[in-house]
Amino acid sequence: MLNRLTILKSFLWASVGVLAAVSMVRFTRGLGAVTNLSDVSPWGLWIGFDVMAGVALAAGGFVMAATVYIFGLEKYRSCVRPAILTALLGYFAVAVGLLYDLGLPWNIWHPMIYWQHHSVLFEVAVCVMLYLTVLSLEFAPVVLEHPLFGRPIFQRFLKFLRKITIPLVIAGIVLSTLHQSSLGSLFLISPARLHPLWYSSIIYIFYFISAIGLGLMMVVLEGLLTSWFFDHKVRKDLLPGMGIAASVVLWFYVILRLGDLTLRGDLGLAFDGSWQSFLFFFELGMAAILPATLLLFRRVRSSITGMAICAGLTILGMIGYRLDMSIVAFARPEGWGYFPSWAEIAVSVGIVSCCILVFIFFVEHLKVYDEPAHVKPGKPSHDAATLHDLMPSEQASPRRYSLVALMAAVAALFFLPVSGAEPVRTPVSTPRMVEGFSVARQAGDFHALEMCEPGDRPLSAESPIPLFAINGNRNETLVLFNHAGHVDREGGDDSCRLCHHLDLPYDLNSACFECHRDMYEPVSLFDHTLHVQKLNGNDGCTECHPDGREVKDSETSTACVECHLNPEATSVIIKRPDPRWQDAPGYMDAMHDLCVTCHKRRAREEPGRFADLLERCDACHDADYGPMLEEMAPVRNTSRLIVQNGDGH
Amino acid sequence: MTIDVLLQWLRGPVFWAGLAFLVLGLGRHVAITLWGIVRTWNRAGDKTIPVRQVVRASLGWMFLTQGLKNRLLFGLNTLIFHIAVILVPIFLAGHIALWKQSLGFGWPALPNGLSTALTIIAVIAAVTIVIQRIVFKASRKLSRFQDFAMPLIVAIPFATGFLVMHPAWNPFSHQFMLFLHVMSGDLLLFLIPLTKISHMVLLPGTQIISELAWHFPPESGRRVGEALGKANEPI
């Protein structure tokens, strides 16, 4: 039972299992949870491999159809069906890969309705959609030949499809020519970011020519692999012809690329010793120069090993060409490199595995190849140790493959962030002290703060005052805060409790950052392990969980304030914390909550004194940032803040 | 790595992977069994199935009336064990609180006193089941390794759960006992589809399967011999 095909299928099903697990997380938790994509690298492996390389790998379909139906080389007819099946599956893979990559995958139908006819991407989308339809119709006869579709209605459709074969083939060639080249044209928009060894104003010609060579080699390799896995006879008579054709196309591609570089005067870059120059020759050599040279020898062309090696080189090299264009040679800011996450690789491998499984299914059940796929019936061996051998393969296989896929999916789940990406922690640092001035603004009593610049001091008449520079995440924008001024205005030492609303144990007027420890994320204040230690392990449980019959959660536990005596402010501006202290909100939210709430109240109480200045963003933030802050400020439900303070509207 | 990090891991990714394995693995068993039943029925020589009899037998085995008739004490012990093992993990107030935290909804819980009683019963019943299996010769001869091992493995999360809930009885630290509890629970999630505990979904099908086995055509035995290349030898 354990032959080549079973091992291959087991591996493929395992990849499909991993794909299923990753898909679940990707579509419920988003791109950020599973990929290394970012705003700087929005195009990663899924575009570079699944879409760019996927379309090119499927080029065999139109190349073989043209060879047989247009150029009339009947000898190659046996290659048409597998080539069209590969193309069909390849394009499905492209569409599915795109679904994974789109941030809003449910909008994939938009190009059908919203036409943007200036966009290359629109042309690609429409061509791919139409070509997928054409390929389905081209392949449909193979399915309809199956006895399952013996009904007259299917047979009439089959007859119709056979009649329109030539128009379909022509449509396929036209559509392929259009979008194989336009995939290259996509890069015309970024001359500054693509390295000059890859950027050219005729990228679309490179893409088209390379796709033809790649398509030919793909047909060769998949033919060889199928015969290896299914014990078919290799059609050795077809190999030399395809070899020489591929050689010519690949040489043409090499001459075009080097010629283009020479004409643009950038050929020197290929020899300047940079990593890009090595990559360029490695990729071009593997994809074209080496196989095209080897294929010139008759002995290589007519040997199975030789053709397999040449085809493998071209395929890997051309995939490399697509990846170089969309990832490697695409410039990014320093420190913003991109390498695909394992989940991205798993999705690409999984989609390809799905395609191969469907390919195998069609080969086994339909007449894709002339030679029938003979699955050996095989006598069941009677061996008590291997009970499964007694099972006929059609019963043993589903058991084996479903178990393999399930195990792989569950193993993948271990390493996936099932509950979404972990929030990025931004620890908050303490405010620093600087010297500055309080400067009167045009209206009323409102004063703005300014930091001392070097050289200010001798010029200024008044002496500078100490100011807090509040800058929790130490970025370039900070808020100046006149702590002493606030103490004076709000009533001296009695006013501390207006803002310092909660104290750490053995501390008085704890600073904001001591509890609001993260810039954006809420932070838990409670440390269960620490309390267990301080309360003598298991003996201390009843201190906080007095009733053993209750569920032990925060709601049923003793309130924090019952042990931590009087750390709470009574006349605080904002809402008093719950007696069981829950998570402390992020630093930014906490500061806005406190400052903005009070400023709004003061402005409402004394409208004449501050005009509307006190309520504005630039009351605290640098005025230069004012308009920007207002635009970028997250929508805050201000009514909620006021109601919380019992002021009403 | 502190035990807290390990606990976090066991309660997060490991639990979700285990739950997925449990649900999908049992689903796989059901699908394969159903498919096998249909396949066997298609090939059966005599397609008249005594439905009423099969349903009665299935229900009899599922609700243990059959077992009680055969051996009362063994049957009762098993019955109590099953009730405790099914009710406590699903309807324990503490577990429901955890579900509420992650799913956002919960369901009515058993009173904690009853849960505690059932937990102790589950542990005692698991041990006595194994003892009974060893004592009675017939069941001893029929048992495989997992028949002895599984009741004890099932008892671990119950015993550790009791100690987590009752710190005064717990000789080890709370964190360590919680770790053992969560780990043994997670382990069970993975073991269920791979061991005899998968009878939780397969039991309703066993009676129809053994019924169908009697419906093969009379000469099918000879065909097995032919397929094995032993046509003329006695089977």
Side-chain angles (χ1 to χ4, degrees), chain B residues 161-195:
Chain B
F162 175 81
L163 293 178
V164 166
M165 290 282 280
H166 299 84
W169 299 62
N170 182 4
F172 304 101
S173 83
H174 171 79
Q175 288 301 86
F176 178 68
M177 202 37 75
L178 195 60
F179 164 75
L180 283 187
H181 176 66
V182 177
M183 191 182 64
S184 53
D186 282 353
L187 181 71
L188 264 185
L189 294 179
F190 286 99
L191 284 181
I192 286 172
L194 296 175
T195 57

Side-chain angles (χ1 to χ4, degrees), chain A residues 379-382 390 392 394-395 398-399 402-403 406-407 410 413-414 418 528-529 538 541 548-552, chain B residues 4 9 13-14 16-17 20-21 24-25 28 32 35 39 93-94 97 112 165 167 170 172 174 190 227-228 230:
Chain A
K379 280 188 176 173
S381 62
H382 181 54
L390 280 171
E394 71 266 27
Q395 206 169 352
R399 280 169 188 270
S402 62
L403 190 64
L406 179 57
M407 295 272 198
V410 170
L413 272 183
F414 266 94
V418 177
H528 189 261
T529 314
N538 294 343
C541 297
R549 284 165 304 175
E550 295 250 39
V551 178
K552 297 179 185 64
Chain B
D4 283 314
W9 186 64
V14 180
W16 287 114
F21 188 69
L24 297 173
R28 169 180 172 272
I32 287 178
W35 180 59
R39 220 177 108 88
N112 258 1
M165 290 282 280
N170 182 4
F172 304 101
H174 171 79
F190 286 99
L228 292 174
K230 299 178 178 178

Side-chain angles (χ1 to χ4, degrees), chain A residues 371-382:
Chain A
E371 205 174 335
H374 54 272
V375 183
K376 276 186 233 151
K379 280 188 176 173
S381 62
H382 181 54

Side-chain angles (χ1 to χ4, degrees), chain A residues 407-440:
Chain A
M407 295 272 198
V410 170
L413 272 183
F414 266 94
F415 302 100
L416 284 168
V418 177
S419 41
E422 283 285 308
V424 181
R425 296 282 166 208
T426 320
V428 167
S429 312
T430 112
R432 290 171 289 190
M433 298 299 287
V434 293
E435 289 189 320
F437 305 101
S438 177
V439 187

Side-chain angles (χ1 to χ4, degrees), chain A residues 31 57 81 99 240 268 285 350 401 404 433 444 462 469 530 631:
Chain A
L31 285 169
L57 287 169
R81 283 186 167 190
L99 276 182
Y401 300 136
V404 168
M433 298 299 287
E462 51 185 322
L530 183 78
E631 260 172 46

Side-chain angles (χ1 to χ4, degrees), chain A residues 455-493:
Chain A
D456 264 0
R457 202 177 293 226
L459 295 174
S460 168
E462 51 185 322
S463 55
I465 49 172
L467 298 173
F468 279 28
I470 300 175
N471 186 8
N473 55 351
R474 294 283 191 265
N475 66 357
E476 67 275 16
T477 59
L478 53 78
V479 166
L480 292 176
F481 174 64
N482 186 355
H483 189 263
H486 277 78
V487 172
D488 283 346
R489 278 196 299 277
E490 301 299 331
D493 285 347

